[in-house]
Amino acid sequence: MPRHAPPRGAMRTMTDAEAYAAPTPEVLYIHDDLSEYVCRRQGEASLGWQLTQKLFALVRRDPRHVVVLTLEGQIERLLACGTYTPFALAIGIGRAGERVAQQLHARTGWFPHISRVDITREEDGHGGYMVTSTTGIPLAQQLPPLNAVPSLAVVDDTVFSGLTMQTVLRALPPEVRARTQAFCLRGVAASLAAITALCPIAIGFAAPGRLLDEVSFINASGLVMRVGIRHPDRPPQAFFERPLWMHAWFPGDADEVIALCQRLNTILEPDGQPAQFP
């Protein structure tokens, strides 16, 4: 997809690691956002569906090291955290956050009015990450008028480092943030303290452990399609295009996992261009 170079001045960066060394978590959590997508796009009789099932069977070989999370399981856990009266407005962070807000609203009625901010985390090329606009419009200009909003929800799919969620919450006026509730389906428990210092957060699944060396999260779509790794000046990549990461995540099975991802990629991104996912 074409994108415009966004202004960088107000973006927050995270530079606490070497230049994209392979994460080596003790437990890798994979959110399965791929099965339903492939089934809907290709059908259960397709080669794409067969390869998807083979891929998940392969990554599940060591259940102590790789845990596959389902959407339904995460939603059920989040709903068990409590109930809320409908919010006057919900802000979905990117397409993923907007989709989570819609999924939760279909079950609960919490978010009758959803607005989206088009931002994402991308590599800065020096070992760090930045939160940047995907449209060229600064975040502050994407936010709707909020002063008269009596209750606000901010919704994302994952809180990993917390960088993206913190960026949105810090962009809110303090008086608005005081009446804001955050939601996400999954994340790292260690990253939640920085969020709760800004506003309460409800989460479906919070994994214990330190980022990257004890616990990490990826989406299955990012393994196969060029939606997992984003750069400011280059096209996005799929995780299978970083073999060192794949060997760290799937020791002993990486070559087979990469081969399956490559075959699936030719089906799901036949023209070699990043998919509009989902």
Side-chain angles (χ1 to χ4, degrees), residues 159-199:
V159 168
F160 184 59
S161 68
L163 177 65
T164 310
M165 179 70 78
Q166 288 183 65
T167 298
V168 173
L169 293 176
R170 293 182 186 278
L172 303 176
E175 63 276 12
V176 175
R177 195 163 60 235
R179 51 183 186 266
T180 297
Q181 169 75 44
F183 295 85
C184 73
L185 291 183
R186 56 194 169 273
V188 179
S191 298
L192 298 182
I195 305 298
T196 56
L198 299 170
C199 80

Side-chain angles (χ1 to χ4, degrees), residues 35-230:
S35 294
E36 189 275 337
Y37 176 80
V38 173
C39 183
R40 175 165 43 85
R41 295 286 292 258
Q42 304 289 322
E44 292 189 1
S46 67
L47 175 60
W49 176 253
Q50 295 171 24
L51 294 174
T52 300
Q53 298 308 294
K54 287 183 65 175
L55 176 63
F56 278 108
L58 182 58
V59 301
R60 282 186 168 110
R61 276 185 180 171
D62 184 356
R64 296 169 301 175
H65 175 60
V66 175
V67 177
V68 176
L69 301 174
T70 66
L71 174 64
E72 187 61 27
Q74 293 167 79
I75 289 179
E76 288 180 358
R77 290 188 182 202
L78 193 153
L79 297 184
C81 293
T83 59
Y84 300 86
T85 57
F87 291 83
L89 180 66
I91 294 176
I93 300 179
R95 290 168 56 85
E98 180 184 42
R99 185 165 62 253
V100 171
Q102 292 168 344
Q103 291 163 337
L104 289 173
H105 178 71
R107 297 280 295 269
T108 66
W110 291 344
F111 311 129
H113 304 287
I114 301 170
S115 179
R116 186 177 80 208
V117 291
D118 290 306
I119 61 172
T120 190
R121 191 188 82 159
E122 65 180 25
E123 296 182 346
D124 66 6
H126 304 286
Y129 296 87
M130 65 181 72
V131 175
T132 184
S133 166
T134 59
T135 62
I137 302 172
L139 172 60
Q141 295 180 23
Q142 294 187 46
L143 292 171
L146 297 172
N147 289 337
V149 173
S151 61
L152 179 68
V154 176
V155 187
D156 205 354
D157 63 338
T158 309
V159 168
F160 184 59
S161 68
L163 177 65
T164 310
M165 179 70 78
Q166 288 183 65
T167 298
V168 173
L169 293 176
R170 293 182 186 278
L172 303 176
E175 63 276 12
V176 175
R177 195 163 60 235
R179 51 183 186 266
T180 297
Q181 169 75 44
F183 295 85
C184 73
L185 291 183
R186 56 194 169 273
V188 179
S191 298
L192 298 182
I195 305 298
T196 56
L198 299 170
C199 80
I201 183 168
I203 185 169
F205 175 74
R210 296 187 305 272
L211 277 71
L212 301 178
D213 59 345
E214 288 187 342
V215 59
S216 194
F217 281 81
I218 62 172
N219 287 345
S221 58
L223 281 173
V224 173
M225 293 182 284
R226 294 180 176 93
V227 296
I229 303 171
R230 297 177 176 87

